[in-house]
Amino acid sequence: MKLATYKDGSRDGQLVVVSRDLGLAHYATGIAGRMQQVLDDWNFLSPQLQDLYEALNQGKARHAFPFDPAMCMAPLPRAYQWADGSAYINHVELVRAARNAEVPKTFYEDPLMYQGGSDDFLGPLEEARFGSEDWGIDFEAEVAVVTGDVPMGATPEQALDGVRLVMIANDWSLRNLIPNELAKGFGFFQSKPATAFSPVAVTPDELGDAWAGGRLNLVLQSAWNGRKVGMCDAGPDMTFHFGQLIAHVCKTRNVRAGSIIGSGTVSNKGVTDDKGQTDWPKGYSCIAEKRAIETIQDGKPATGFMRFGDTIRIEMKGKDGQSIFGAIDQKVVNAAA
């Protein structure tokens, strides 16, 4: 099934069920008012929502109305936890190669992860407001999952059973603020502003065979100022699957229902020809990776970061060509304005 949260003037919004084709919606008021309620009581409430979902798809829901992504908040407008990984080691390899740094062997065995702010997420069409272009504004196209309760010490296989919903995300980064923060040895903070999520979150069964082994084997599209810059396959090059990422989080603590786990920037390996020249035909899911590629090839980056007025659209389509989660479509604006 597909779920979304509509704006209603409150912090947590109103839960709606959305049809498979994203054409219709129906308030879930008679079942649950908020997304977190469903996650807290999944086994009881999700079957009822599934029944409403099936009625909606069959044209039998009496009070259905046209679905409007502009009304959407993030599917889970605020969460108990937002932990973002860096599951695509190719991305790490490129960024490190650009500064002539090796990737530690442990990075291939133990996922990188940071704890982001989970009290304030952006809706899919909400403007992204920043104080200065000098901060190095960058989008990051990712896949994310929402969990149920996962006990401390769960194996990757057990952790994968805790996945309740799948979304796509734009995990904004302020690249020029990152070096000074990391130099303190205490991780990201001001350099990681509010993350945006897709209009709808979907249950894994909706993804069919594209959801396999904790990976989503579909193309994540990124269009910067209307120009397609990324057609990155989210599956094959994902070094750590979502079960491994969740297990990493719950090694020393329980993971509670309503936790969001991100994949990190979706990244694909380059293709090297018989002359030793490497190309990246699938593009990129963040500007930092494009700049790393340019530095490796030409000795310096040529692509600048985003400026006020720029737009970014992130979307994933199924094998039938239809949008699965709806699109994240944001404009970068000056917070001072």
Side-chain angles (χ1 to χ4, degrees):
M1 63 182 165
K2 300 190 176 186
L3 303 173
T5 295
Y6 259 31
K7 302 171 186 174
D8 68 351
S10 71
R11 293 180 186 270
D12 297 305
Q14 180 68 48
L15 182 68
V16 297
V17 178
V18 183
S19 62
R20 182 171 287 113
D21 64 2
L22 306 183
L24 296 173
H26 195 292
Y27 283 109
T29 313
I31 303 169
R34 295 178 289 106
M35 182 73 81
Q36 186 62 47
Q37 287 177 259
V38 181
L39 296 165
D40 285 338
D41 200 4
W42 184 262
N43 290 338
F44 179 67
L45 295 177
S46 66
Q48 299 177 57
L49 292 172
Q50 181 69 33
D51 289 343
L52 177 55
Y53 178 66
E54 292 173 2
L56 188 60
N57 287 321
Q58 295 166 7
K60 297 178 180 179
R62 293 179 57 191
H63 301 293
F65 52 86
F67 175 60
D68 182 4
M71 283 292 294
C72 288
M73 306 170 76
L76 191 58
R78 52 178 176 167
Y80 287 113
Q81 179 169 220
W82 160 231
D84 195 24
S86 188
Y88 297 84
I89 292 298
N90 180 68
H91 173 73
V92 180
E93 290 173 338
L94 286 172
V95 172
R96 292 222 161 204
R99 61 175 193 261
N100 296 314
E102 292 187 6
V103 178
K105 291 182 180 180
T106 56
F107 283 24
Y108 296 90
E109 303 164 357
D110 197 32
L112 291 170
M113 188 164 284
Y114 83 92
Q115 186 116 32
S118 61
D119 57 327
D120 181 34
F121 293 134
L122 298 178
L125 305 186
E126 193 172 344
E127 292 178 337
R129 303 170 64 83
F130 304 109
S132 174
E133 292 176 341
D134 294 336
W135 290 349
I137 303 166
D138 195 0
F139 66 90
E140 286 192 59
E142 305 187 8
V143 180
V145 299
V146 186
T147 77
D149 288 326
V150 182
M152 181 173 66
T155 66
E157 292 72 25
Q158 292 169 335
L160 198 54
D161 287 338
V163 173
R164 296 289 180 258
L165 299 165
V166 184
M167 310 180 288
I168 57 174
N170 180 11
D171 183 43
W172 289 102
S173 287
L174 302 174
R175 300 295 183 184
N176 293 339
L177 300 186
I178 289 177
N180 287 340
E181 288 200 319
L182 295 186
K184 296 178 180 179
F186 226 54
F188 303 118
F189 198 82
Q190 292 179 336
S191 55
K192 298 300 293 186
T195 301
F197 291 95
S198 50
V200 302
V202 311
T203 49
D205 62 285
E206 281 292 316
L207 302 168
D209 60 7
W211 177 255
R215 296 176 175 87
L216 183 51
N217 295 284
L218 291 170
V219 173
L220 187 59
Q221 305 179 14
S222 301
W224 179 10
N225 290 334
R227 175 175 168 266
K228 196 69 64 66
V229 296
M231 292 288 288
C232 297
D233 195 327
D237 294 327
M238 190 179 187
T239 309
F240 301 102
H241 63 69
F242 276 108
Q244 292 170 300
L245 295 177
I246 298 168
H248 179 83
V249 177
C250 66
K251 179 177 180 177
T252 60
R253 53 180 164 168
N254 295 315
V255 170
R256 293 307 187 190
S259 293
I260 304 176
I261 311 297
S263 68
T265 304
V266 175
S267 179
N268 292 143
K269 295 182 181 296
V271 178
T272 303
D273 61 23
D274 54 8
K275 296 180 181 179
Q277 298 295 314
T278 302
D279 187 29
W280 283 265
K282 295 182 180 179
Y284 54 92
S285 297
C286 72
I287 301 169
E289 185 164 304
K290 172 64 170 174
R291 287 167 60 88
I293 292 169
E294 292 168 343
T295 301
I296 294 167
Q297 292 178 325
D298 306 318
K300 62 180 181 180
T303 303
F305 292 114
M306 299 182 79
R307 305 184 68 84
F308 297 144
D310 281 6
T311 61
I312 179 65
R313 181 182 176 92
I314 300 169
E315 190 171 18
M316 180 175 276
K317 296 182 179 179
K319 296 177 181 178
D320 59 0
Q322 298 300 308
S323 183
I324 297 174
F325 306 96
I328 299 170
D329 199 344
Q330 296 183 277
K331 183 177 182 179
V332 175
V333 300
N334 188 344

